[in-house]
Amino acid sequence: KSRERMKRLLEYMEEHYGERITVEDGAQLCFYSNSHFMKYFKNTMGTSFIDYLNEYRLTMASRLLISSDSSVLDIAAEVGFDNLSYFNRSFKKRFQQTPREYRKRYAQP
């Protein structure tokens, strides 16, 4: 049952990562209180819910930077970041380069 809840949650995150997703949303999907959900997620996945979600969003952003001509601002919004500077900081921390540098390096000419 616990595994099914996590599967349903991860599928929801994959389908809706571009939208606003909160801890409350995750807790409701799993039928847990917020605090129990946060412990459950960390114990099951080895990372916090928000860190996992942001990591997934950054991965999707990296793919879009390579495969589309959309602006960095549009890509950030498309993957669920509503603050461009937070997106840029998070991206640089994860990939050790800015989104523009990443695109230059990996996008096909």
Side-chain angles (χ1 to χ4, degrees):
K1 193 173 182 181
S2 175
R3 203 177 265 163
E4 280 302 311
R5 287 179 179 180
M6 184 57 70
K7 184 178 178 213
R8 186 172 62 237
L9 174 65
L10 295 177
E11 286 171 354
Y12 178 85
M13 290 169 73
E14 287 174 14
E15 291 172 22
H16 300 276
Y17 68 89
E19 303 166 21
R20 185 169 186 267
I21 303 175
T22 63
V23 168
E24 290 80 11
D25 297 331
Q28 284 181 346
L29 276 166
C30 293
F31 305 102
Y32 289 136
S33 69
N34 291 352
S35 59
H36 187 246
F37 169 71
M38 289 188 294
K39 285 181 211 150
Y40 161 72
F41 194 94
K42 179 111 180 177
N43 289 339
T44 305
M45 300 302 290
T47 188
S48 76
F49 173 73
I50 297 301
D51 287 346
Y52 182 93
L53 178 58
N54 283 341
E55 183 68 23
Y56 187 82
R57 287 173 166 167
L58 290 170
T59 298
M60 299 312 287
S62 71
R63 293 178 185 174
L64 287 170
L65 285 164
I66 293 170
S67 66
S68 84
D69 292 330
S70 298
S71 71
V72 172
L73 177 63
D74 288 345
I75 289 172
E78 188 175 335
V79 300
F81 285 91
D82 55 4
N83 182 312
L84 182 61
S85 64
Y86 180 66
F87 170 73
N88 284 328
R89 272 196 318 277
S90 300
F91 193 94
K92 187 164 187 171
K93 184 177 178 186
R94 166 73 172 80
F95 294 100
Q96 288 75 51
Q97 53 195 325
T98 67
R100 279 192 179 79
E101 292 166 343
Y102 186 90
R103 175 178 264 168
K104 253 186 212 172
R105 177 175 288 175
Y106 296 108
Q108 303 301 317

